[in-house]
Amino acid sequence: LARALGRHGVEVALATMGAPLSTQQRQEVAAVPGLALYESHYRLEWMEDPWEDVYRAGDWLLELEEELAPDVIHLNSYVHGALPWRAPVMVVGHSCVLSWWQAVKGEPAPPSWDRYRREVQAGLQAADLVLAPTRSMLAALDEYYGPLETTGVVPNGIARSEENSSPQPKERMVLTAGRVWDEAKNVSALEAVAPRLHWPVYVAGEDHHPDGGRACPQNVNYLGYLPRKSLRQWYRRAAIYALPARYEPFGLSALEAATEGCALVLGDIPSLREVWQDAALYVPPNDNAALQRALSGLMANPSRRAMLAARAQARARYFSPERMATGYLVAYCRLITGEGLPTVKVLGRSVPQRA
């Protein structure tokens, strides 16, 4: 987003929290013109016992605003929306614990999350504008923390790889990628069906939970965490990308896979239906037999596999960085002036999201 905004003359100050940036992430930041990095390691609002860090982070963010004098505050988490900002505030909801819990656990979040609920609601209610990458995610925010007055949807976007102008032959494999420890990704379903498939299943992603503990994938070929460039090569190789998710507010990994020509098998949830329409196969997240049938059917049917891959790749072109940047530019300018496209500076807070 910062790179695409930079092409419109927008300067971005990126304030990060949570885990330290990787070497690759630092290199990517350094390569974006007009992007300044301000890094911290405060705990995030969805982590265990985060509140002291959350409040200290708020003080730090207000100091940054005083120093930088941005035109817009763009937050990718919720609680700090309630700070006494001088500039207009946009909060973008990429996931939340309450909707995650209902989707993954099948029941409301327990009382131990009541403080989170109150703090998130206060942040959302104080924001001048609330956005989400899908209508489904926006509806969830309104259900759990609303009613929200001024809202909108700006889908995510990614750049097409320069390498896929000459695509390589696909290999007989199934790939999935994401945080392996997150129950929402439903890697366990792939673990369950993998022994009954004719093709190998590969899993890429972080296995260590930020609050401790580790996931240990079984019956699959576990690749571990892969840098972006390495993961892109796996997307290019895999004939099928499977994401039988229970909860996925947008599904960036599916977009990355579709861009590289994978046929998609996805969890049948509203957000993924909204994004992919008829460009994927859908399976109920808790129906392992349906997942096995869908994967086996595609493995046995090259023409259908190619058709779905072509549909997904065509659909992926809609979700471009330029379209995303235009959506955010319109939102920024409405916050500032209500009209026009002035040159703006944005203080963006970026944190790892739960899903």
Side-chain angles (χ1 to χ4, degrees), residues 197-273:
L197 299 174
H198 294 300
W199 292 8
V201 176
Y202 290 84
V203 175
E206 178 59 60
D207 61 347
H208 286 84
H209 194 288
D211 284 330
R214 182 180 181 183
C216 299
Q218 305 293 317
N219 305 322
V220 297
N221 299 281
Y222 179 51
L223 303 171
Y225 171 80
L226 296 178
R228 187 184 303 249
K229 186 173 181 180
S230 298
L231 182 57
R232 184 183 298 128
Q233 291 301 318
W234 281 93
Y235 287 137
R236 297 191 77 205
R237 292 173 58 188
I240 299 173
Y241 184 78
L243 182 66
R246 299 185 179 101
Y247 177 79
E248 189 63 82
F250 180 83
L252 200 58
S253 68
L255 178 56
E256 292 170 339
T259 299
E260 301 296 344
C262 298
L264 302 180
V265 177
L266 307 176
D268 194 355
I269 56 178
S271 56
L272 293 178
R273 285 270 187 183

Side-chain angles (χ1 to χ4, degrees), residues 130-149:
V130 175
L131 298 182
T134 56
R135 294 188 302 275
S136 300
M137 186 64 222
L138 187 61
L141 294 177
D142 195 66
E143 176 184 355
Y144 289 103
Y145 313 103
L148 304 175
E149 291 188 8

Side-chain angles (χ1 to χ4, degrees), residues 93-179:
H94 296 281
S95 67
C96 83
V97 170
L98 300 190
S99 57
W100 180 95
W101 201 285
Q102 183 65 53
V104 173
K105 305 290 190 180
E107 61 186 19
S112 58
W113 288 100
D114 284 352
R115 182 174 182 181
Y116 171 92
R117 183 196 306 269
R118 293 192 302 270
E119 299 273 3
V120 168
Q121 185 174 43
L124 285 167
Q125 295 289 341
D128 299 294
L129 175 63
V130 175
L131 298 182
T134 56
R135 294 188 302 275
S136 300
M137 186 64 222
L138 187 61
L141 294 177
D142 195 66
E143 176 184 355
Y144 289 103
Y145 313 103
L148 304 175
E149 291 188 8
T150 307
T151 63
V153 173
V154 177
N156 294 329
I158 63 170
R160 295 189 65 199
S161 168
E162 296 178 0
E163 300 170 354
N164 67 8
S165 57
S166 55
Q168 65 188 48
K170 288 292 188 178
E171 298 180 30
R172 294 158 62 92
M173 67 169 72
V174 177
L175 177 67
T176 195
R179 290 180 292 276

